[in-house]
Amino acid sequence: MIFRNGLVLTMDDSHTVLENADVLVVDDKIAEIGPNLTAPGGHEEIDASGGILMPGMVDTHRHMWQTAMRGYGADWTLTQYFVWYYLESGKHFRPEDIYAGNLLGALEALDSGVTTTVDWSHGLQTTDHADAAVDALEAVPGRFVLAYGNIQQGPWEWSTSSAFQDFYRRRIDGGKLAGFQMAFDVTGDPAFPEKAAFEVARELGVPVTTHAGVWGATNDDGIRLMHDSGFMTPGNVYVHAATLSSDSYHRIAASGGSVSVSTESEQSAGQGYPPTWQLRRHGIPVSLSMDTSVWWSGDLFSAMRTTLSADRAREHLEAHGKQETVTHHHLRAEHVVDWGTRGGAKALGMDSSIGSLTPGRQADVVLLKNDASPVMFPVLNPYGHVAFQAQRGDVHTVVVGGKVVKRDGKLVDADLAAARAEVEATIDHLRSTLGEEAWKRGMNPDIPEARILHNPYQYTK
Ligand SMILES: [Zn+2]
């Protein structure tokens, strides 16, 4: 197929931008990029004029199994999330509920131009749940990395079980998924029980993804234990990494790891201030993620926008505290577009195959174009347009490995009615298991007693 006359953000090493250029896709790869390309006969032609062509976006941390609970926890803090999922209700999820959440989450990702997603799947109480997770991911034509986890057991328990080993041999080794990670957190217990899980990861040769630097949950102690035992290896992904000391950032930088920043999540749930302002100082590679649809969407436009804004907000705040003024921003729109595409590819060790529009790489292509939208013209600053102006409704065409999965603003061959039926069955199950009162209480946490501060400047006598 060929895209004609688009504004192309290649996201290659020199961030080449081409105006009125064509992108030629042959089989599963990008064959050529440039003006007035000659296409072989029998090809499909897509008019990209007035639109922006960019690589498929990459989300490096998303709990897809939670998508069935979309928006339920909009008013939660991280504490309320932990209570609901870890302590009270997470154990009620059956394999079919994992399937339902993953299926909907996978469709949602493709619809918004996210062609590669890490399914941070920590609801895998049994390998039946894990099989269901993979079944859903394999049913949707995107790239998915399964990050295997289980919050109902210690990582030293599930990772060393024969059931897990058997699952890995059956579904992962030589399977259809784009990748595999082990997903677990390191609490900082000096006995370091997570060591056994790291040893399994090392034996399998797979990276670890871990929620690190999460206020009240994980901290510098976990980083130190991992580092001192030699488990901070390149390819590991540190999620959030928001409340860590400079010492921990040095250890991440020196060991070749990267950080997955979930700005919307960190801002709202309370893991810590979105850390890009610190990561930049320490030269730590960044990728972006949306975390969970229990609060937020699976939409990396939101991730790019909030990350850019949070980084700038921090810079202004720090300066104002010193009676100074920031006259020039360090973080540019171009940087967050890089983090949402190339940064994700690098974090997943897939930088030679995805992440940029470069001949020879996989054809994961997103066309942003919406002739009916007053927001899609003029396109003057294309990076700024992607980060601050565009949104998922502007995702016109999505291609994964040369296959069109969204065309003219609509998913191709996606059975949304079936996905809806699966999710409704999950909601029915959870709602009846929890009971109506607990269901409503979970969604509507108490508002704490308001404390009105005394304000001496009142319009009174
Ligand atoms: Zn998470």
Side-chain angles (χ1 to χ4, degrees), residues 2 22-26 29-34 37-38 358-360:
I2 189 160
D22 303 341
V23 175
L24 175 66
V25 173
V26 175
K29 293 201 174 70
I30 293 163
E32 211 178 340
I33 302 175
L37 298 182
T38 310
T358 306

Side-chain angles (χ1 to χ4, degrees), residues 76-94:
W76 282 355
T77 60
L78 191 62
T79 303
Q80 284 155 341
Y81 166 84
F82 282 149
V83 169
W84 202 92
Y85 270 104
Y86 285 58
L87 300 180
E88 291 178 351
S89 307
K91 58 181 179 295
H92 297 310
F93 281 71
R94 307 160 300 175

Side-chain angles (χ1 to χ4, degrees), residues 210-353:
T210 185
H211 293 110
V214 173
W215 182 261
T218 58
N219 57 34
D220 291 321
D221 294 336
I223 294 284
R224 211 175 308 112
L225 286 164
M226 280 184 247
H227 193 248
D228 289 349
S229 304
F231 293 120
M232 284 180 73
T233 47
N236 283 3
V237 176
Y238 304 87
V239 176
H240 303 307
T243 39
L244 292 173
S245 68
S246 200
D247 178 73
S248 288
Y249 290 125
H250 282 304
R251 291 176 199 252
I252 293 172
S255 60
S258 68
V259 169
S260 174
V261 178
S262 306
T263 301
E264 258 194 326
S265 175
E266 288 133 25
Q267 287 178 322
S268 196
Q271 293 91 340
Y273 198 91
T276 55
W277 64 291
Q278 283 279 28
L279 304 175
R280 290 192 288 108
R281 279 185 202 177
H282 291 88
I284 295 172
V286 177
S287 64
L288 301 182
S289 57
M290 285 309 299
D291 204 346
T292 171
S293 298
V294 173
W295 286 261
W296 312 285
S297 67
D299 172 349
L300 281 202
F301 295 105
S302 307
M304 291 187 279
R305 188 170 304 178
T306 52
T307 302
L308 190 52
S309 298
D311 192 289
R312 290 174 176 179
R314 183 75 192 213
E315 216 172 2
H316 289 298
L317 186 71
E318 299 274 324
H320 298 177
K322 291 182 273 183
Q323 298 296 311
E324 291 170 359
T325 302
V326 175
T327 59
H328 294 64
H329 285 133
H330 280 99
L331 193 68
R332 301 301 168 104
E334 181 175 350
H335 296 137
V336 294
V337 176
D338 182 279
W339 291 345
T341 53
R342 198 81 192 272
K346 287 177 183 165
L348 302 180
M350 295 165 78
D351 190 39
S352 59
S353 57

Side-chain angles (χ1 to χ4, degrees), residues 68-235:
M69 297 296 289
R70 186 190 297 291
Y72 180 88
D75 295 320
W76 282 355
T77 60
L78 191 62
T79 303
Q80 284 155 341
Y81 166 84
F82 282 149
V83 169
W84 202 92
Y85 270 104
Y86 285 58
L87 300 180
E88 291 178 351
S89 307
K91 58 181 179 295
H92 297 310
F93 281 71
R94 307 160 300 175
E96 56 263 51
D97 303 320
I98 303 290
Y99 181 90
N102 272 24
L103 187 70
L104 187 60
L107 292 170
E108 179 187 356
L110 288 188
D111 186 58
S112 64
V114 177
T115 50
T116 302
T117 307
V118 173
D119 177 24
W120 221 102
S121 194
H122 55 357
L124 306 181
Q125 299 173 66
T126 70
T127 48
D128 290 341
H129 291 72
D131 278 312
V134 176
D135 288 344
L137 300 179
E138 288 183 350
V140 177
R143 295 184 200 280
F144 300 101
V145 172
L146 179 70
Y148 192 113
N150 175 4
I151 50 177
Q152 302 300 333
Q153 280 182 13
W156 54 93
E157 294 171 300
W158 61 259
S159 70
T160 54
S161 70
S162 57
F164 170 72
Q165 304 278 341
D166 175 59
F167 166 82
Y168 183 83
R169 274 190 299 274
R170 280 191 297 110
R171 300 303 297 266
I172 304 302
D173 216 6
K176 279 164 53 184
L177 293 179
F180 185 78
Q181 299 176 329
M182 283 171 61
F184 57 89
D185 298 343
V186 180
T187 63
D189 175 350
F192 194 33
E194 299 87 359
K195 185 167 184 262
F198 279 108
E199 281 167 346
V200 172
R202 176 176 287 170
E203 212 164 285
L204 296 176
V206 300
V208 169
T209 178
T210 185
H211 293 110
V214 173
W215 182 261
T218 58
N219 57 34
D220 291 321
D221 294 336
I223 294 284
R224 211 175 308 112
L225 286 164
M226 280 184 247
H227 193 248
D228 289 349
S229 304
F231 293 120
M232 284 180 73
T233 47

